[in-house]
């Protein structure tokens, strides 16, 4: 089965790629993540994803458009929360490319992370699949989270400290002042 796998970053793709190859899938990667902030971090994650692809002999298509304004506008206006538009924006592009290029299905490395909104990713993947007319391959890659971390360390890949957007960067580092200050 010919699968287009959305790659959110190199480290997160480590276990899904291993698992999919062992299960007989013929995998091509697809990097599309305009949510990542700032641009230097985006570039670093893109370079890491390329490094991962090269070390794993993985063909990877790179969509390096950095649609920051579009992402921020959608995130601010999101009625279902910013992660919902963030997942949909990325998965829709992957589904469209997969459909246009005769892949059998698509999936995403986001499904490996216990820090992501797993059920929401599944729900959005299935909705996009129906709307774009190509199957979403749902697999709970979280079973291999620890193994994936170990592989990424073996490969000496850069591991990012926050999810990606400017809001997640704030959540990671900002400590509100104590009351009264
Ligand atoms: S927290 Fe992560 S998934 Fe949610 S909007 Fe930010 S980058 Fe996207």
């Amino acid at each position: 089965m010919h699968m287009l796998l959305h790659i959110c970053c190199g480290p997160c793709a480590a276990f899904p790629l291993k698992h999919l190859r062992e299960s007989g899938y013929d995998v091509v990667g697809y990097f599309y993540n305009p949510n990542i902030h700032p641009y230097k971090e985006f570039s670093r994650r893109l370079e890491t994803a390329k490094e991962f692809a090269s070390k794993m002999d993985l063909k990877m298509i790179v969509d390096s458009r950095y649609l920051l304004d579009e992402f921020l506008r959608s995130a601010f206006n999101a009625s279902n929360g910013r992660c919902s538009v963030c997942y949909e924006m990325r998965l829709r592009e992957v589904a469209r490319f997969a459909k246009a290029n005769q892949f059998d299905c698509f999936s995403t490395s986001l499904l490996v992370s216990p820090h992501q909104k797993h059920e929401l990713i599944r729900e959005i993947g299935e909705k996009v699949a129906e709307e774009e007319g190509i199957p979403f391959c749902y697999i709970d890659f979280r079973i291999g989270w620890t193994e994936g971390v170990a592989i990424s360390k073996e490969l000496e890949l850069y591991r990012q400290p926050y999810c990606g957007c400017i809001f997640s960067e704030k959540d990671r580092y900002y400590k509100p002042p104590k009351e009264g200050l």
Side-chain angles (χ1 to χ4, degrees), residues 75-125:
F76 274 124
N77 294 323
S79 52
N80 297 334
R82 64 174 189 255
C83 298
S84 176
V85 295
C86 183
Y87 296 145
E88 182 164 344
M89 170 188 72
R90 294 185 278 170
L91 292 182
R92 192 170 293 284
E93 284 299 316
V94 182
R96 284 182 178 162
F97 188 93
K99 171 86 177 174
N101 291 279
Q102 289 82 46
F103 283 84
D104 298 313
C105 60
F106 71 100
S107 191
T108 175
S109 59
L110 287 163
L111 290 168
V112 81
S113 173
H115 306 298
Q116 295 288 337
K117 297 178 168 64
H118 191 91
E119 284 311 317
L120 184 61
I121 298 167
R122 179 180 192 169
E123 194 185 299
I124 289 173

Side-chain angles (χ1 to χ4, degrees), residues 35-36 45 71 75 81-87 90 110 116-117 162-168 171:
N35 52 307
I36 300 169
R45 292 192 198 184
F71 167 67
R82 64 174 189 255
C83 298
S84 176
V85 295
C86 183
Y87 296 145
R90 294 185 278 170
L110 287 163
Q116 295 288 337
K117 297 178 168 64
Y162 58 94
C163 185
C165 66
I166 191 169
F167 310 104
S168 60
D171 291 345

